[in-house]
Amino acid sequence: MTKLIAPVKKIPVYKVRKEALPARAMPDLVAVEEPLQIRIEWEGSGRWHEKSLYVTMRTPGNDFDLVMGFLLAEGIVQKLDHVLFMRYCRRVKETEEGNVVIVRLAPDTVCDLSHTDRNFLSNASCGVCGKSSIDAIYGRLAQKTIFTNSAISSEVIFQLSTFLDQEQTGFKYTGGLHAASLFDLSGKGLLIREDVGRHNALDKLLGAAFREGLLPSASRVVLLSGRVSFELVQKTAVAGVSVLAAIGAPSSLAIELAQKTGITLIGFLKSDRFNCYTYPERIHEVG
């Protein structure tokens, strides 16, 4: 049985306060960061192939959600039944136990990695690198433009961050985790996932939502705890989500991709204000 790794770790910390010297060590919790390697197996030319596909630094927990979200976002699989099963690898060193996931694709699933020329080797904050990679993603998303007549109330948007504040458990204890949350258009919180990496948190969320049948759907809202990069918009577009909101700022390329893919993009979200960058007509009292 695979030994799973805890998402937080207790360590001694010196919390120095000017009014309370000398400082002494006391136990505190920090977010765990560990590498996760994704390996895929698929059948072709009458035999099984195995490839080490991707390595990311992540917070352990919800690893299968992370893997599913990544595979869907990258177009390696298009449907849940393209994945036969996922499991932790048992043929690894003790130090790697719980850090290697094997994905076996269902028979007759076409495993085409030629759509991208970038190497799937990243750290927790890595995104798309290079103009050729961006052009390739634009091409893949050409048929992903989201059309919807659904609208959301600005009052609902104001309340989204409250859910994040209440449910982001790992951040409360460590201060070191990003979060991604899923809502319906009424503002009901459906799912939340946390990770040391922004991209991993969103992959975990989208993977869990696909596995639970909540996506793809244009009647969904994603909220991110940090800023919005190009790749986070790309992942949201693949999931068919029509509204992407964030506590932080979007980049110029993120705004451009949101416009092209039909996503209402919101940044600098607070309980009493936000900026809308694309498709404001989908928000009551805005467009």
Side-chain angles (χ1 to χ4, degrees):
M1 185 175 181
T2 301
K3 181 181 177 182
L4 299 183
I5 305 165
V8 296
K9 181 179 181 180
K10 186 180 289 186
I11 65 167
V13 176
Y14 286 87
K15 296 188 177 183
V16 181
R17 304 288 187 270
K18 187 175 181 180
E19 66 277 7
L21 295 174
R24 291 180 173 84
M26 60 180 63
D28 200 3
L29 294 174
V30 297
V32 172
E33 185 176 26
E34 289 274 344
L36 178 70
Q37 182 185 63
I38 301 172
R39 298 179 186 172
I40 58 171
E41 297 177 340
W42 74 96
E43 189 176 16
S45 303
R47 63 187 182 91
W48 283 95
H49 305 264
E50 181 175 325
K51 179 180 178 61
S52 178
L53 182 67
Y54 179 66
V55 177
T56 186
M57 302 302 294
R58 99 303 187 190
T59 300
N62 305 117
D63 287 334
F64 291 173
D65 291 341
L66 169 58
V67 172
M68 181 61 73
F70 169 77
L71 295 177
L72 287 164
E74 294 296 339
I76 296 167
V77 301
Q78 289 77 45
K79 299 186 296 183
L80 291 181
D81 58 11
H82 285 172
V83 174
L84 192 61
F85 64 78
M86 287 185 280
R87 65 173 174 82
Y88 289 99
C89 183
R90 295 182 289 270
R91 299 169 294 153
V92 295
K93 304 174 185 177
E94 184 177 345
T95 55
E96 296 175 335
E97 191 175 7
N99 282 332
V100 180
V101 171
I102 291 180
V103 180
R104 174 162 288 193
L105 302 183
D108 303 322
T109 300
V110 177
C111 183
D112 182 13
L113 303 180
S114 62
H115 66 270
T116 178
D117 59 359
R118 70 185 176 104
N119 184 11
F120 292 124
L121 179 63
S122 75
N123 58 37
S125 60
C126 182
V128 175
C129 301
K131 185 178 184 300
S132 60
S133 294
I134 293 172
D135 289 342
I137 287 174
Y138 274 140
R140 283 172 48 210
L141 293 177
Q143 306 302 318
K144 292 286 185 180
T145 302
I146 300 164
F147 298 100
T148 179
N149 293 322
S150 300
I152 186 172
S153 166
S154 56
E155 287 299 321
V156 167
I157 296 173
F158 288 139
Q159 296 168 15
L160 297 181
S161 59
T162 301
F163 178 83
L164 203 64
D165 293 338
Q166 294 172 346
E167 301 296 329
Q168 200 178 350
T169 307
F171 180 80
K172 289 179 183 177
Y173 287 109
T174 67
L177 293 174
H178 290 283
S181 304
L182 187 71
F183 303 82
D184 63 19
L185 292 178
S186 73
K188 179 183 178 181
L190 304 174
L191 285 173
I192 185 169
R193 290 292 185 269
E194 292 182 284
D195 197 275
V196 71
R198 294 178 299 121
H199 300 83
N200 293 341
L202 183 55
D203 278 341
K204 286 181 178 180
L205 178 75
L206 299 182
F210 270 99
R211 295 175 75 191
E212 295 186 21
L214 297 172
L215 290 175
S217 172
S219 299
R220 298 286 183 256
V221 180
V222 166
L223 173 62
L224 306 177
S225 63
R227 61 186 177 84
V228 186
S229 64
F230 176 95
E231 190 173 24
L232 296 177
V233 177
Q234 174 233 330
K235 293 175 185 293
T236 304
V238 171
V241 173
S242 63
V243 181
L244 175 59
I247 304 301
S251 69
S252 62
L253 206 55
I255 296 169
E256 181 181 327
L257 184 59
Q259 184 68 46
K260 288 186 176 182
T261 54
I263 292 175
T264 298
L265 182 60
I266 294 165
F268 294 107
L269 176 61
K270 306 293 183 185
S271 61
D272 61 348
R273 60 188 181 276
F274 61 82
N275 292 350
C276 181
Y277 297 89
T278 56
Y279 301 97
E281 64 272 15
R282 294 180 185 163
I283 305 175
H284 296 309
E285 299 95 30
V286 177

